[in-house]
Amino acid sequence: MSDLETPVGPMSPVTESANTDTPKTPNAPEPQEEALPIIECLCTAECTSVSGRSTLTYAIGRHPDQTLHLRIVSNSGGGMFCGDWASGDRIDALVAGGHELTSRSFHALHPGKSINTGGFVMSALRDLGLIRLNPENSRHHVHVEGMGFARVALAAVSKASSADVHVSKPHKGRKPRFPRPLPKGRD
């Protein structure tokens, strides 16, 4: 008899196998997830990527402890990026300590995340005025002396809030059109 023709016998009852999970004690509290800090978005702005092939949107936010943060919000080019907030203090430490800043310099802000994020953060910081192209080597950026992340971020927030104030102008258009009456016999 082949294996395909072997009659199937009655099923044996399933026995419990040894449980490899750690036993739960009824009085032990369950581990709770650490609450993430809520960062209030103060403004968003757009800039071009380092390559110039896409438009990036970045945000400046404030933590409840009043520290400022930066994050990349979107990329029109479709490349992946990390959307986590980066502390302004960490940005200042990276920028002030580096004389030849490249996109790789900013990978330390989001270790283990998308490689694009470093270049996108660098583009946002260049747009804010914290760094600029090195005149001696166009592949590197340098820190703009006297600038800190808090200073350029607050200037951007101020600029964005003044741009949001709109002065209403009187309407100068055509007279409103009223619908024509329907011909007789049509209701």
Side-chain angles (χ1 to χ4, degrees):
M1 202 179 244
S2 72
D3 287 342
L4 295 175
E5 297 173 1
T6 306
V8 178
M11 298 181 75
S12 62
V14 178
T15 58
E16 282 191 33
S17 62
N19 188 357
T20 58
D21 295 341
T22 54
K24 292 183 180 180
T25 55
N27 296 335
E30 289 188 26
Q32 294 181 359
E33 290 184 27
E34 186 177 323
L36 296 175
I38 298 173
I39 297 178
E40 173 191 10
C41 181
L42 300 175
C43 74
T44 59
E46 291 184 345
C47 66
T48 58
S49 63
V50 175
S51 68
R53 289 182 275 180
S54 63
T55 301
L56 307 171
T57 303
Y58 62 91
I60 297 172
R62 182 178 18 228
H63 188 274
D65 66 5
Q66 301 305 308
T67 57
L68 295 171
H69 297 261
L70 174 83
R71 78 180 186 109
I72 304 300
V73 177
S74 67
N75 170 23
S76 69
M80 300 294 286
F81 61 89
C82 174
D84 295 343
W85 291 100
S87 164
D89 295 336
R90 291 188 63 208
I91 292 171
D92 279 337
L94 281 171
V95 170
H99 298 290
E100 297 178 341
L101 299 168
T102 63
S103 62
R104 187 171 290 211
S105 305
F106 297 99
H107 289 259
L109 295 173
H110 304 290
K113 303 291 181 169
S114 174
I115 196 164
N116 295 334
T117 307
F120 292 172
V121 168
M122 186 172 77
S123 295
L125 296 176
R126 183 178 62 193
D127 186 60
L128 288 169
L130 183 62
I131 60 176
R132 63 180 172 79
L133 262 163
N134 185 342
E136 298 170 6
N137 185 347
S138 63
R139 295 178 56 95
H140 297 127
H141 286 73
V142 294
H143 178 228
V144 175
E145 291 298 319
M147 293 294 183
F149 181 75
R151 184 174 177 185
V152 297
L154 291 174
V157 170
S158 175
K159 181 180 175 183
S161 64
S162 66
D164 286 343
V165 177
H166 298 288
V167 178
S168 63
K169 298 178 182 178
H171 178 67
K172 293 183 179 179
R174 294 191 275 169
K175 292 181 189 177
R177 292 184 60 178
F178 296 103
R180 291 187 217 170
L182 292 172
K184 290 185 180 182
R186 292 189 176 175
D187 292 328

